[in-house]
Short mmCIF file of all heavy atoms in Angstrom, two decimals:
data_model
loop_
_atom_site.label_atom_id
_atom_site.label_comp_id
_atom_site.label_asym_id
_atom_site.label_seq_id
_atom_site.Cartn_x
_atom_site.Cartn_y
_atom_site.Cartn_z
N GLN A 1 0.82 -1.23 -0.01
CA GLN A 1 0.01 0.00 -0.01
C GLN A 1 0.87 1.28 0.01
O GLN A 1 0.60 2.19 -0.76
CB GLN A 1 -0.93 0.01 1.23
CG GLN A 1 -1.67 1.31 1.49
CD GLN A 1 -3.00 1.37 0.82
OE1 GLN A 1 -3.52 0.44 0.22
NE2 GLN A 1 -3.62 2.57 0.95
N GLN A 2 1.86 1.32 0.82
CA GLN A 2 2.70 2.53 0.97
C GLN A 2 3.46 2.80 -0.36
O GLN A 2 3.44 3.93 -0.87
CB GLN A 2 3.64 2.44 2.14
CG GLN A 2 4.45 3.69 2.41
CD GLN A 2 5.30 3.57 3.67
OE1 GLN A 2 5.17 2.58 4.41
NE2 GLN A 2 6.13 4.58 3.92
N ALA A 3 4.09 1.81 -0.87
CA ALA A 3 4.86 1.95 -2.13
C ALA A 3 3.92 2.32 -3.31
O ALA A 3 4.27 3.03 -4.21
CB ALA A 3 5.68 0.74 -2.41
N TYR A 4 2.74 1.66 -3.29
CA TYR A 4 1.79 1.84 -4.38
C TYR A 4 1.23 3.24 -4.45
O TYR A 4 1.17 3.90 -5.52
CB TYR A 4 0.66 0.84 -4.23
CG TYR A 4 -0.23 0.63 -5.44
CD1 TYR A 4 0.34 0.13 -6.63
CD2 TYR A 4 -1.54 0.92 -5.43
CE1 TYR A 4 -0.46 -0.03 -7.74
CE2 TYR A 4 -2.36 0.74 -6.52
CZ TYR A 4 -1.77 0.24 -7.67
OH TYR A 4 -2.61 0.08 -8.79
N LEU A 5 0.88 3.81 -3.30
CA LEU A 5 0.36 5.21 -3.27
C LEU A 5 1.47 6.21 -3.32
O LEU A 5 1.29 7.31 -3.80
CB LEU A 5 -0.51 5.42 -2.04
CG LEU A 5 -1.73 4.51 -1.88
CD1 LEU A 5 -2.57 4.94 -0.70
CD2 LEU A 5 -2.60 4.58 -3.14
N ASN A 6 2.65 5.85 -2.76
CA ASN A 6 3.86 6.68 -2.88
C ASN A 6 3.58 8.14 -2.47
O ASN A 6 3.89 9.05 -3.21
CB ASN A 6 4.38 6.61 -4.35
CG ASN A 6 5.83 7.11 -4.41
OD1 ASN A 6 6.65 6.87 -3.53
ND2 ASN A 6 6.13 7.78 -5.50
N ALA A 7 3.07 8.31 -1.27
CA ALA A 7 2.63 9.62 -0.80
C ALA A 7 3.63 10.23 0.16
O ALA A 7 4.31 9.55 0.91
CB ALA A 7 1.24 9.53 -0.13
N ASP A 8 3.66 11.58 0.11
CA ASP A 8 4.38 12.32 1.12
C ASP A 8 3.51 13.52 1.57
O ASP A 8 2.31 13.49 1.34
CB ASP A 8 5.74 12.80 0.58
CG ASP A 8 5.63 13.69 -0.67
OD1 ASP A 8 4.53 14.26 -0.91
OD2 ASP A 8 6.64 13.90 -1.36
N GLU A 9 4.11 14.52 2.13
CA GLU A 9 3.30 15.61 2.66
C GLU A 9 2.59 16.44 1.55
O GLU A 9 1.61 17.15 1.82
CB GLU A 9 4.11 16.56 3.48
CG GLU A 9 5.25 17.30 2.71
CD GLU A 9 6.50 16.46 2.50
OE1 GLU A 9 6.52 15.28 3.00
OE2 GLU A 9 7.45 16.99 1.91
N THR A 10 3.00 16.25 0.32
CA THR A 10 2.33 16.97 -0.80
C THR A 10 1.34 16.09 -1.51
O THR A 10 0.70 16.50 -2.48
CB THR A 10 3.38 17.43 -1.82
OG1 THR A 10 4.03 16.32 -2.42
CG2 THR A 10 4.39 18.30 -1.17
N GLY A 11 1.11 14.85 -1.01
CA GLY A 11 0.14 13.95 -1.60
C GLY A 11 0.84 12.83 -2.34
O GLY A 11 2.06 12.66 -2.34
N PRO A 12 0.05 11.99 -3.06
CA PRO A 12 0.61 10.84 -3.79
C PRO A 12 1.49 11.30 -4.97
O PRO A 12 1.22 12.36 -5.57
CB PRO A 12 -0.61 10.06 -4.27
CG PRO A 12 -1.75 10.60 -3.50
CD PRO A 12 -1.42 12.02 -3.14
N HIS A 13 2.47 10.49 -5.24
CA HIS A 13 3.29 10.72 -6.45
C HIS A 13 3.28 9.47 -7.32
O HIS A 13 4.07 8.52 -7.12
CB HIS A 13 4.73 11.09 -6.04
CG HIS A 13 4.81 12.41 -5.32
ND1 HIS A 13 4.93 13.60 -5.97
CD2 HIS A 13 4.69 12.69 -3.98
CE1 HIS A 13 4.92 14.57 -5.07
NE2 HIS A 13 4.81 14.06 -3.88
N THR A 14 2.35 9.43 -8.21
CA THR A 14 2.21 8.29 -9.15
C THR A 14 1.97 8.87 -10.54
O THR A 14 1.47 10.00 -10.75
CB THR A 14 0.98 7.43 -8.77
OG1 THR A 14 -0.25 8.24 -8.81
CG2 THR A 14 1.15 6.85 -7.37
N PRO A 15 2.37 8.09 -11.58
CA PRO A 15 2.29 8.64 -12.96
C PRO A 15 0.82 8.67 -13.46
O PRO A 15 -0.08 8.04 -12.89
CB PRO A 15 3.11 7.57 -13.75
CG PRO A 15 2.99 6.33 -12.95
CD PRO A 15 2.95 6.83 -11.52
N GLY A 16 0.63 9.41 -14.51
CA GLY A 16 -0.68 9.51 -15.09
C GLY A 16 -0.71 10.24 -16.40
O GLY A 16 0.25 10.15 -17.23
N ILE A 17 -1.79 10.93 -16.70
CA ILE A 17 -2.03 11.56 -17.98
C ILE A 17 -2.24 13.06 -17.74
O ILE A 17 -2.92 13.46 -16.79
CB ILE A 17 -3.24 10.95 -18.65
CG1 ILE A 17 -2.99 9.45 -18.93
CG2 ILE A 17 -3.62 11.67 -19.94
CD1 ILE A 17 -4.23 8.67 -19.39
N SER A 18 -1.64 13.90 -18.56
CA SER A 18 -1.80 15.30 -18.38
C SER A 18 -3.23 15.79 -18.66
O SER A 18 -3.99 15.06 -19.34
CB SER A 18 -0.82 16.09 -19.32
OG SER A 18 -1.30 16.01 -20.69
N ALA A 19 -3.60 16.95 -18.21
CA ALA A 19 -4.93 17.47 -18.41
C ALA A 19 -5.20 17.65 -19.93
O ALA A 19 -6.29 17.34 -20.42
CB ALA A 19 -5.12 18.79 -17.72
N GLU A 20 -4.19 18.14 -20.66
CA GLU A 20 -4.38 18.39 -22.08
C GLU A 20 -4.57 17.02 -22.83
O GLU A 20 -5.46 16.93 -23.69
CB GLU A 20 -3.15 19.05 -22.64
CG GLU A 20 -3.26 19.37 -24.14
CD GLU A 20 -1.98 20.02 -24.73
OE1 GLU A 20 -0.92 19.89 -24.10
OE2 GLU A 20 -2.09 20.63 -25.80
N ALA A 21 -3.82 16.03 -22.43
CA ALA A 21 -3.94 14.71 -23.09
C ALA A 21 -5.26 14.06 -22.73
O ALA A 21 -5.89 13.41 -23.56
CB ALA A 21 -2.77 13.85 -22.70
N ALA A 22 -5.71 14.23 -21.46
CA ALA A 22 -6.97 13.65 -21.07
C ALA A 22 -8.12 14.28 -21.83
O ALA A 22 -9.01 13.58 -22.27
CB ALA A 22 -7.20 13.88 -19.56
N LYS A 23 -8.10 15.58 -22.04
CA LYS A 23 -9.15 16.25 -22.84
C LYS A 23 -9.11 15.74 -24.27
O LYS A 23 -10.19 15.50 -24.85
CB LYS A 23 -8.90 17.77 -22.80
CG LYS A 23 -10.03 18.61 -23.40
CD LYS A 23 -9.75 20.08 -23.17
CE LYS A 23 -10.93 20.94 -23.53
NZ LYS A 23 -11.24 20.95 -24.96
N TRP A 24 -7.92 15.58 -24.86
CA TRP A 24 -7.82 15.10 -26.22
C TRP A 24 -8.32 13.66 -26.33
O TRP A 24 -9.04 13.32 -27.28
CB TRP A 24 -6.35 15.19 -26.67
CG TRP A 24 -6.10 14.67 -28.04
CD1 TRP A 24 -6.34 15.32 -29.22
CD2 TRP A 24 -5.53 13.38 -28.36
NE1 TRP A 24 -5.97 14.49 -30.27
CE2 TRP A 24 -5.47 13.34 -29.78
CE3 TRP A 24 -5.09 12.30 -27.61
CZ2 TRP A 24 -4.94 12.23 -30.44
CZ3 TRP A 24 -4.57 11.25 -28.26
CH2 TRP A 24 -4.53 11.17 -29.68
N LEU A 25 -7.96 12.79 -25.39
CA LEU A 25 -8.45 11.43 -25.42
C LEU A 25 -9.96 11.37 -25.27
O LEU A 25 -10.60 10.49 -25.86
CB LEU A 25 -7.80 10.61 -24.28
CG LEU A 25 -6.30 10.28 -24.44
CD1 LEU A 25 -5.72 9.78 -23.17
CD2 LEU A 25 -6.10 9.29 -25.59
N ALA A 26 -10.53 12.24 -24.50
CA ALA A 26 -11.99 12.29 -24.28
C ALA A 26 -12.74 12.80 -25.49
O ALA A 26 -13.76 12.29 -25.87
CB ALA A 26 -12.32 13.15 -23.09
N GLU A 27 -12.21 13.87 -26.12
CA GLU A 27 -12.98 14.58 -27.13
C GLU A 27 -12.59 14.30 -28.53
O GLU A 27 -13.39 14.49 -29.46
CB GLU A 27 -12.85 16.09 -26.81
CG GLU A 27 -13.39 16.49 -25.51
CD GLU A 27 -13.20 17.99 -25.21
OE1 GLU A 27 -12.66 18.70 -26.07
OE2 GLU A 27 -13.67 18.43 -24.12
N GLU A 28 -11.35 13.82 -28.76
CA GLU A 28 -10.86 13.67 -30.20
C GLU A 28 -10.42 12.28 -30.51
O GLU A 28 -10.61 11.80 -31.64
CB GLU A 28 -9.75 14.66 -30.43
CG GLU A 28 -10.13 16.13 -30.31
CD GLU A 28 -9.03 17.08 -30.68
OE1 GLU A 28 -8.39 16.82 -31.77
OE2 GLU A 28 -8.73 18.01 -29.91
N ALA A 29 -9.81 11.57 -29.57
CA ALA A 29 -9.29 10.24 -29.81
C ALA A 29 -10.42 9.25 -29.98
O ALA A 29 -11.53 9.39 -29.40
CB ALA A 29 -8.35 9.79 -28.73
N PRO A 30 -10.24 8.21 -30.82
CA PRO A 30 -11.34 7.27 -31.11
C PRO A 30 -11.52 6.20 -30.04
O PRO A 30 -12.37 5.31 -30.21
CB PRO A 30 -10.90 6.60 -32.43
CG PRO A 30 -9.39 6.64 -32.38
CD PRO A 30 -9.03 7.91 -31.65
N VAL A 31 -10.75 6.18 -28.98
CA VAL A 31 -10.83 5.15 -27.95
C VAL A 31 -12.10 5.26 -27.08
O VAL A 31 -12.69 6.33 -26.96
CB VAL A 31 -9.59 5.13 -27.06
CG1 VAL A 31 -8.39 4.78 -27.89
CG2 VAL A 31 -9.41 6.45 -26.31
N ILE A 32 -12.50 4.13 -26.45
CA ILE A 32 -13.61 4.18 -25.54
C ILE A 32 -13.20 4.39 -24.07
O ILE A 32 -14.01 4.61 -23.17
CB ILE A 32 -14.47 2.91 -25.60
CG1 ILE A 32 -13.67 1.63 -25.24
CG2 ILE A 32 -15.15 2.78 -26.94
CD1 ILE A 32 -14.48 0.38 -25.02
N GLY A 33 -11.87 4.32 -23.86
CA GLY A 33 -11.42 4.50 -22.48
C GLY A 33 -9.94 4.25 -22.38
O GLY A 33 -9.25 3.91 -23.30
N VAL A 34 -9.45 4.46 -21.15
CA VAL A 34 -8.00 4.25 -20.84
C VAL A 34 -7.87 3.29 -19.68
O VAL A 34 -8.74 3.21 -18.80
CB VAL A 34 -7.27 5.57 -20.49
CG1 VAL A 34 -7.34 6.54 -21.69
CG2 VAL A 34 -7.85 6.21 -19.25
N GLY A 35 -6.76 2.54 -19.73
CA GLY A 35 -6.43 1.62 -18.65
C GLY A 35 -5.07 1.89 -18.08
O GLY A 35 -4.17 2.19 -18.85
N VAL A 36 -4.94 1.83 -16.75
CA VAL A 36 -3.68 2.15 -16.08
C VAL A 36 -3.34 1.10 -15.03
O VAL A 36 -4.17 0.30 -14.66
CB VAL A 36 -3.76 3.54 -15.40
CG1 VAL A 36 -4.04 4.61 -16.48
CG2 VAL A 36 -4.84 3.57 -14.35
N GLU A 37 -2.09 1.16 -14.53
CA GLU A 37 -1.64 0.23 -13.50
C GLU A 37 -1.75 0.85 -12.11
O GLU A 37 -1.48 0.15 -11.14
CB GLU A 37 -0.19 -0.16 -13.79
CG GLU A 37 -0.02 -0.94 -15.09
CD GLU A 37 1.42 -1.12 -15.48
OE1 GLU A 37 2.20 -0.18 -15.27
OE2 GLU A 37 1.76 -2.17 -16.03
N THR A 38 -2.06 2.10 -12.00
CA THR A 38 -2.11 2.82 -10.73
C THR A 38 -3.51 2.68 -10.08
O THR A 38 -4.42 2.10 -10.68
CB THR A 38 -1.75 4.26 -10.91
OG1 THR A 38 -2.46 4.80 -12.06
CG2 THR A 38 -0.29 4.45 -11.19
N VAL A 39 -3.66 3.27 -8.90
CA VAL A 39 -4.90 3.10 -8.11
C VAL A 39 -6.08 3.77 -8.76
O VAL A 39 -7.20 3.40 -8.52
CB VAL A 39 -4.69 3.60 -6.67
CG1 VAL A 39 -4.61 5.10 -6.60
CG2 VAL A 39 -5.71 3.06 -5.70
N GLY A 40 -5.84 4.78 -9.57
CA GLY A 40 -6.90 5.48 -10.33
C GLY A 40 -6.38 5.91 -11.66
O GLY A 40 -5.16 5.89 -11.89
N THR A 41 -7.25 6.38 -12.53
CA THR A 41 -6.83 6.78 -13.84
C THR A 41 -6.04 8.09 -13.83
O THR A 41 -5.30 8.38 -14.79
CB THR A 41 -8.05 6.93 -14.81
OG1 THR A 41 -9.00 7.81 -14.23
CG2 THR A 41 -8.68 5.64 -15.14
N ASP A 42 -6.20 8.89 -12.78
CA ASP A 42 -5.47 10.14 -12.67
C ASP A 42 -4.14 10.01 -12.01
O ASP A 42 -3.97 9.13 -11.14
CB ASP A 42 -6.33 11.17 -12.01
CG ASP A 42 -7.29 11.90 -12.92
OD1 ASP A 42 -6.76 12.60 -13.84
OD2 ASP A 42 -8.48 11.77 -12.80
N ALA A 43 -3.22 10.90 -12.31
CA ALA A 43 -1.93 11.00 -11.65
C ALA A 43 -2.10 11.28 -10.16
O ALA A 43 -3.12 11.90 -9.74
CB ALA A 43 -1.06 12.04 -12.32
N GLY A 44 -1.10 10.97 -9.35
CA GLY A 44 -1.17 11.22 -7.96
C GLY A 44 -1.36 12.68 -7.58
O GLY A 44 -2.03 13.06 -6.62
N GLN A 45 -0.77 13.58 -8.41
CA GLN A 45 -0.83 14.99 -8.13
C GLN A 45 -1.98 15.72 -8.84
O GLN A 45 -2.03 16.92 -8.92
CB GLN A 45 0.50 15.67 -8.52
CG GLN A 45 1.64 15.24 -7.61
CD GLN A 45 1.53 15.86 -6.23
OE1 GLN A 45 1.48 17.08 -6.04
NE2 GLN A 45 1.39 15.00 -5.21
N ALA A 46 -2.91 14.90 -9.42
CA ALA A 46 -3.96 15.47 -10.29
C ALA A 46 -4.95 16.33 -9.49
O ALA A 46 -5.75 17.06 -10.09
CB ALA A 46 -4.73 14.34 -11.00
N HIS A 47 -4.90 16.27 -8.14
CA HIS A 47 -5.77 17.16 -7.38
C HIS A 47 -5.45 18.64 -7.60
O HIS A 47 -6.25 19.51 -7.42
CB HIS A 47 -5.67 16.83 -5.89
CG HIS A 47 -4.26 16.92 -5.35
ND1 HIS A 47 -3.70 18.06 -4.89
CD2 HIS A 47 -3.33 15.93 -5.24
CE1 HIS A 47 -2.45 17.83 -4.49
NE2 HIS A 47 -2.20 16.52 -4.66
#
């Protein structure tokens, strides 16, 4: 759990997708969705 969430005083530090890329994937790309290996589809710092 600790290594997976990889959190410190600034919150989790896990990889993800930028806001610009997420908007493009939602509105322009032909895919129905995205899949990731992290606890959620957003990056740890996405808050």
Side-chain angles (χ1 to χ4, degrees):
Q1 169 92 4
Q2 185 174 354
Y4 194 63
L5 298 186
N6 197 36
D8 60 17
E9 65 278 0
T10 65
H13 293 274
T14 60
I17 298 171
S18 74
E20 182 183 20
K23 188 174 191 292
W24 178 79
L25 288 168
E27 298 177 359
E28 298 184 47
V31 295
I32 60 168
V34 299
V36 299
E37 296 169 324
T38 47
V39 73
T41 53
D42 275 296
Q45 291 290 298
H47 56 88

